[in-house]
Structures are given as structure tokens and as C-alpha cells.
Amino acid sequence: MKIILPLVIGILFASGTYLMLQKNILKLVLGLALISHAANVILISSGWIGPGQVPILGKDDSIPFVDPIPQALVLTAIVIGFAALAFLLVLSLRVYRDLKTSNIEEIRGQRG
Amino acid sequence: MSHLLILPVLIPLGTAILLLILRFLPMARRIVIAFAGVSILGVNISVLSKIYKEGIQTYQLGGWPAPYGIVLVGDLLSGIMMMLGSIIAVCALFYSFGYLKEDGQQAIFHPLFFFLWTGTNGTFLTGDIFNLFVMFEIMLMSIYSLLAMLGDKKQIESGLKLISMGLLSSAIFLAAVGGIYALTGTLNMADLAVKIKPHAGHPLVGAVAMLFLGVFGLKAAMMPMHFWLPDVHSSAPTPISAMLSGILIKVGVYAIIRVFCLIFVDLQGAFQPFILTLACITMFMGAMGAVAQTDLKRLLAYSSVSQIGYILMGVGFFSVAGMGAALFYMISHGIIKASLFMAAGILKKMKGTTEMSEHGNMINISPVFTLFFLIGVAGLGGIPPSSGFFMKFQLIKAGLDGAFYLPVFVALVVSLFTLFYLAQSWQKVCLMPQKEEPTIRPSFKLLLPVGVLALLCLVLGFAADPIITLTTAASQQLFSPELYIKAVMGSM
């Protein structure tokens, strides 16, 4: 596991970045989604690699505990990311309807 | 335990929800907005005076003790920033009544505006790094919606840019929080400051500090990450432009100050040349961008980029004088830039565009407007009776005291450009003859908030002394982080 998780994070970041650099607006959205998932995986992995003190009352040190805080954090982060992503999708749809294109190069109306 | 400190977050949140319920009752909405605006301003004044008299205030949410629960911490920096935010927000609220259409637009605008206010106040108050992320997101979500609200093509396009930027930056923020949590096992900023000490020199600490600088620099429009700002600030509805340039880019600077003066104190020296270099490039390139603009709002947006460079320079000195100067600069720039954006909004209302070539002869159409605009130009250009002189003077003085000659030189050269492009825009809009007379005159409702902010700029100039005392005290507090740590952890 110690090697798989960093690999997964790396692949998610790399493919997200690759997708973001494409011209299609939908690929931009997917790329951002992948990158926010990569961040979520980083956050959840911080629960078991660190020397952090787990705030559990009356815990028995002989049994290994996974820190519950990153799990709570990642839940919050997922919800927030979901809301922002949904808004981004709606906005992309609006862009497509208004400008009749999904190519990012063609919707650049503001310059300079 | 006094509940005063939670009120700046709670009142706007409650008001926003109430305004959503009162959607179809315009009169009731207006009463609620007036009442809420005044009470938030009042609460912020009492919070600031309490912090000034009694030192750093803390509030434990839900009564959970410090390192485990979320704490709200009010030190002088957060008090000053909240005060600045409230002044600009009240003016922007008043302005929005004249600027937006009565029924549909205002009913959407005002609840979102109060959510935005909740987010900014929460950002300034929170003492927990993950809660900072949540408050940032509340702020950003309202900005996304407010930006795309009127639905014109430019706004949709810049909305797309802003959301992409926001999503990317929150992903990086989360990665940084994950890194720092893995290292220390805590999220409370005061606790972090203590627990990160034994890890000094660990490569992860530097990496996380760099990630935080990147994220907050993106929000503050520091140079390599400034690309989104001119589009977003110029195409937003004007009351929101005023909020964006007045307070929201300073939220990024606030977070940089908070993180580097509390958690990464040991890294200040290592990051100093980096921050100063970026600050110099930011102010220079921002000014260069502004000189080339023909649209007044776009010019002001580029000018914001340039001014953020000045503020970051003050922060980058990492000295009491430099930080105090940066704080004064933030207050002064926030007020002046909000008034200038609102003035540009009046032009937009008159002719439907802010292209400077379409406007002119404002000195005969509305001498009052010309005067307010001139005060703003003088303020940003740094001409004596306005607060702009003191903001630049203090910054330059702090730079010379610390022997940072190159940044000071760049700052002086750039301030020449600032005066040039602003004076030119004023001349184009107010003195040059106009192609065709506008049919709409600037209304009193729109001129009043601009006038109030312009007056504040002059007051800050004539009575700069008490404000400088306040910002210096705030800066001294920032450079003794043990006060902050004791206030948070001592109440365990």
C-alpha cells in the first residue's frame, strides 16, 4: 500500500493536468475533477503515514488506529468540490449554448 | 465566555438565509439589509476596540477546547481586515440598490452578497487551517455565482476562468493541508506553530510553505498567477468589482501574512528574496498592463495587480515597519480602489460601456463625479492630502530602513507609471470633449457611496496618525506569535 497510494496520486495529478491542457471544455472539467480527487487522496493518506496524535479518548495503544480526522476532512472537501464542479458544468453548458462551441480557444473574447 | 467574536460570521449568514426566504417581499428585504449592514459594522467596531483594549480574543466553537475544536481568533490584523471589509461592503450594498434592477437582480444579488460577507469575515477570524479552506470556499462559491449572475457573455467566460482557477487552487490547498497534517497531526494554527518547531529543516515543511504561498498568491493575484484577475475584476457587476479589488484580493495577502508570521516563522528569511522578487515583478507588470488599457475597468483591474505588488513588498520586508506599512497600504488601497471601481460603474450606467473613448466632458456633466474621481486618482498616485501619500511614504521608508534598495527603486519607478495611467484616464473621462451627450445623468444613489469612500480617503490622509498607530500595533502583534499561541492554547 505504501507505494501504491503515491503512485495513484501521481497518476491522477498527471492525467488531470494533461486533460486540463486540452482544448475541449469538457476535458477541462474532467481534468479539474481528477485533480481534486488526487488532492482528496492525499488528504486521506495523511491519516496513516504521520506521527499525529489521534484524538480518541481511552484508546488502547496496542491496537493500531486510523486517524479519523482526515476522513472527516475529506468528506467536507468532497462535498465542496462536488458543488463547485456542478456549478462549473452548468456554466460550461451555458457557454456551449451561448457561443455554440466547446473549444476553449474560440471562447476567448477578452484579450490584453 | 463572550459571544461577541462569532457575531461577524453569524449575522451575515442569518441575514443571507432570511433574504432567501423574503425573496418576494422587496420592502422587507430592504429593511433587513439596512439593519444587518449597520449591525455588522457596529459589531466589527466593537470587536476591533475590544481587541485593541484587551488583547487577542478567542472563541471556541461549540465549547470544544483549543487544539481539538475549531477556534475563532481575533487579533488586531483580523480586526482591521474585517473593519475594512465591512466599510467597503456597506458602500457596495448601498451602491447595489442604485446599480441593479429592482426586482429580479437584487433578490439574487443580496443573499449571495451576504454569503460572501460571511466567508470573508470567517476567513479573517478562523484559527484553524482547514476551517480557513472551508471559509475560502464559501467566499469563492458566492463569488462564482455573483460573477455569472447577470449572464452576459464576458461574465460567463470570466466565470469559467475563475472557477477553474478556484478548483485548482482548492485542490492544491487540500494537498498542502494533507502534508502539514501528516507531519504534525494537528490543524489548529497556534498548535501547528508549536508542533512544527521540532520539524524545522524537514523537506516537507518547505514544500508545504511553498504550496501555501502558491495558493494564496493565486488568490491575491501574485505575478505568475495574476492571469485571471483582469478579466474577472473588469467583467463582474460593479459592486462586486469593488468588493473583489477592495477586499478579496487582500484575503490572499492576509493568508500569506498569517501563515508566514505564525506557522512558518523560521522560513521567513528563506522566502524573503523570493517574495520580494515576485512583488517587484507583480507591480511592474501590472502597471505595464494598465498603461496599455483603453477600458477603464480593465485599467483599474491591472492597477490592482500592480498595487498588490506593493502590498506584498511590504509583507516581504518581514519587519515591523514593513508589515505595518503593508497593512496601512491594504486599508488605503481598498478604500480608494473600491471608490474608483464604483466611479467606473457610474460611467457604465450612463453609456453601457466603460471604454474611455466613449466618455468625456464629465467636468461639465457632473463636477461632483469629477472631484471624487480626482480624489481617487490622487490617492492611488500618492499625492499628499490623500491617504495614498502616507501609504507609499511609509512603505518606502520601511524599505530604506531595511536597506532593500532595489525593491524601493522599482516601487518608485512604478508609482510614476501609476500616476501617469490614472491621470491619463481621468483626463480622458473628465476633460476631453465627448462624441455624444449621454441621456442618463449620474444618480445620487450611485454618487453617495463613491463620495463616502473618497471622503474616507481624505480623512485617512489628514488623520493618518491614529491609523498608523493601529497598524503598527497590529504588526508588532504579528511579530510576537507567542501572544497568539498563548491566547489560543492558554485557554485550554
Side-chain angles (χ1 to χ4, degrees):
Chain A
M1 273 305 271
K2 282 237 163 172
I3 188 74
I4 295 174
L5 214 51
L7 266 180
V8 168
I9 294 168
I11 291 169
L12 279 176
F13 260 120
S15 33
T17 312
Y18 174 76
L19 280 173
M20 268 186 73
L21 297 175
Q22 304 300 301
K23 282 179 184 168
N24 192 317
I25 202 166
L26 205 59
K27 287 186 181 160
L28 169 77
V29 177
L30 287 174
L32 282 168
L34 282 186
I35 286 186
S36 47
H37 287 324
N40 289 344
V41 179
I42 291 187
L43 199 57
I44 203 137
S45 68
S46 69
W48 50 270
I49 56 170
Q53 287 295 308
V54 186
I56 296 174
L57 285 176
K59 104 181 132 103
D60 179 3
D61 282 334
S62 61
I63 311 163
F65 270 103
V66 171
D67 192 343
I69 286 188
Q71 304 190 358
L73 299 185
V74 91
L75 216 59
T76 319
I78 288 172
V79 173
I80 292 172
F82 167 74
L85 215 58
F87 193 79
L88 178 58
L89 268 175
V90 171
L91 210 63
S92 326
L93 187 68
R94 179 68 190 269
V95 166
Y96 183 70
R97 279 193 188 152
D98 277 9
L99 304 169
K100 300 274 178 292
T101 176
S102 59
N103 189 334
I104 290 177
E105 298 268 298
E106 284 170 30
I107 56 174
R108 278 179 60 196
Q110 306 186 68
R111 281 168 197 274
Chain B
M1 188 162 67
S2 154
H3 292 283
L4 183 65
L5 211 54
I6 185 91
L7 288 181
V9 185
L10 222 50
I11 300 176
L13 185 64
T15 313
I17 295 167
L18 198 61
L19 286 175
L20 281 177
I21 299 168
L22 299 175
R23 249 194 104 139
F24 300 105
L25 300 168
M27 206 53 222
R29 267 202 337 257
R30 241 170 256 180
I31 295 168
V32 170
I33 290 168
F35 187 71
V38 171
S39 61
I40 299 170
L41 199 60
V43 163
N44 279 342
I45 292 171
S46 61
V47 167
L48 184 58
S49 66
K50 195 166 181 197
I51 295 169
Y52 190 68
K53 277 185 207 129
E54 298 171 22
I56 298 172
Q57 303 287 313
T58 58
Y59 180 85
Q60 295 159 350
L61 290 178
W64 293 96
Y68 301 121
I70 294 170
V71 274
L72 298 184
V73 187
D75 65 350
L76 273 175
L77 173 66
S78 16
I80 291 171
M81 295 303 286
M82 278 205 304
M83 196 64 225
L84 171 67
S86 304
I87 291 171
I88 295 169
V90 166
C91 291
L93 263 181
F94 193 86
Y95 190 86
S96 72
F97 283 114
Y99 189 80
L100 295 167
K101 290 199 189 75
E102 285 287 326
D103 41 354
Q105 292 183 357
Q106 288 190 9
I108 309 168
F109 177 87
H110 287 130
L112 286 170
F113 188 89
F114 276 94
F115 278 125
L116 172 64
W117 207 346
T118 314
T120 45
N121 279 351
T123 311
F124 293 141
L125 277 179
T126 186
D128 182 285
I129 199 97
F130 191 76
N131 199 235
L132 185 71
F133 166 77
V134 174
M135 288 302 177
F136 260 10
E137 291 302 315
I138 293 177
M139 204 170 76
L140 282 174
M141 276 312 277
S142 356
I143 282 290
Y144 301 155
S145 337
L146 281 166
L147 185 61
M149 187 185 86
L150 300 182
D152 95 42
K153 272 181 192 169
K154 271 189 175 177
Q155 288 172 350
I156 301 269
E157 183 201 335
S158 44
L160 203 64
K161 282 179 188 161
L162 184 66
I163 301 180
S164 315
M165 182 286 286
L167 267 171
L168 191 63
S169 75
S170 33
I172 301 171
F173 197 160
L174 277 182
V177 169
I180 205 164
Y181 186 80
L183 198 65
T184 59
T186 180
L187 291 166
N188 184 297
M189 289 200 254
D191 200 22
L192 268 176
V194 177
K195 286 198 178 150
I196 210 157
K197 282 263 153 51
H199 298 287
H202 194 291
L204 197 54
V205 178
V208 165
M210 198 66 211
L211 284 180
F212 276 130
L213 185 66
V215 171
F216 301 142
L218 190 68
K219 301 231 153 75
M222 205 158 83
M223 195 52 189
M225 289 93 75
H226 73 292
F227 50 87
W228 58 275
L229 186 141
D231 286 355
V232 171
H233 285 212
S234 62
S235 61
T238 302
I240 294 309
S241 298
M243 278 297 274
L244 281 168
S245 262
I247 192 73
L248 283 162
I249 43 174
K250 274 115 194 156
V251 170
V253 180
Y254 163 84
I256 291 178
I257 297 177
R258 178 63 84 216
V259 164
F260 277 95
C261 285
L262 183 64
I263 304 176
F264 304 115
V265 182
D266 299 334
L267 290 174
Q268 280 177 3
F271 273 73
Q272 186 174 44
F274 188 66
I275 293 179
L276 280 179
T277 314
L278 284 180
C280 287
I281 300 175
T282 307
M283 57 188 152
F284 186 72
M285 296 306 282
M288 288 298 111
V291 170
Q293 298 308 314
T294 56
D295 183 306
L296 183 57
K297 269 180 103 174
R298 245 182 127 67
L299 181 143
L300 291 174
Y302 268 105
S303 154
S304 284
V305 176
S306 167
Q307 303 294 315
I308 275 294
Y310 280 93
I311 297 170
L312 280 172
M313 185 177 93
V315 174
F317 291 155
F318 284 120
S319 66
V320 173
M323 194 64 81
L327 288 179
F328 189 78
Y329 208 111
M330 281 202 257
I331 300 172
S332 176
H333 171 253
I335 287 169
I336 297 168
K337 193 45 77 64
S339 94
L340 282 175
F341 260 114
M342 288 180 190
I346 294 178
L347 293 179
K348 171 119 182 160
K349 210 64 189 164
M350 285 167 69
K351 280 205 162 170
T353 172
T354 47
E355 273 300 325
M356 283 186 286
S357 54
E358 293 289 317
H359 294 278
N361 202 18
M362 285 302 286
I363 193 155
N364 289 326
I365 298 167
S366 169
V368 185
F369 172 87
T370 310
L371 178 68
F372 292 161
F373 195 2
L374 185 64
I375 293 174
V377 168
L380 222 50
I383 294 175
S386 65
S387 63
F389 171 70
F390 292 100
M391 71 180 187
K392 287 218 163 77
F393 174 75
Q394 273 207 302
L395 196 66
I396 301 296
K397 188 162 166 287
L400 290 178
D401 288 348
F404 298 101
Y405 297 117
L406 190 66
V408 166
F409 176 71
V410 176
L412 286 173
V413 170
V414 170
S415 74
L416 216 61
F417 281 108
T418 312
L419 197 57
F420 165 69
Y421 63 71
L422 282 168
Q424 200 191 27
S425 71
W426 181 76
Q427 186 204 11
K428 274 184 191 160
V429 170
C430 296
L431 301 183
M432 298 289 244
Q434 196 167 21
K435 282 178 198 151
E436 48 191 297
E437 284 283 303
T439 45
I440 310 167
R441 304 270 140 169
S443 71
F444 172 73
K445 261 187 188 171
L446 295 180
L447 277 172
L448 184 71
V450 183
V452 169
L453 288 171
L455 191 70
L456 264 177
C457 164
L458 285 184
V459 169
L460 269 180
F462 281 115
D465 215 34
I467 308 292
I468 290 174
T469 317
L470 187 67
T471 50
T472 312
S475 154
Q476 275 160 354
Q477 210 172 54
L478 280 170
F479 281 97
S480 31
E482 62 279 358
L483 287 175
Y484 187 100
I485 296 166
K486 191 167 164 274
V488 176
M489 306 300 287
S491 55
M492 268 173 82

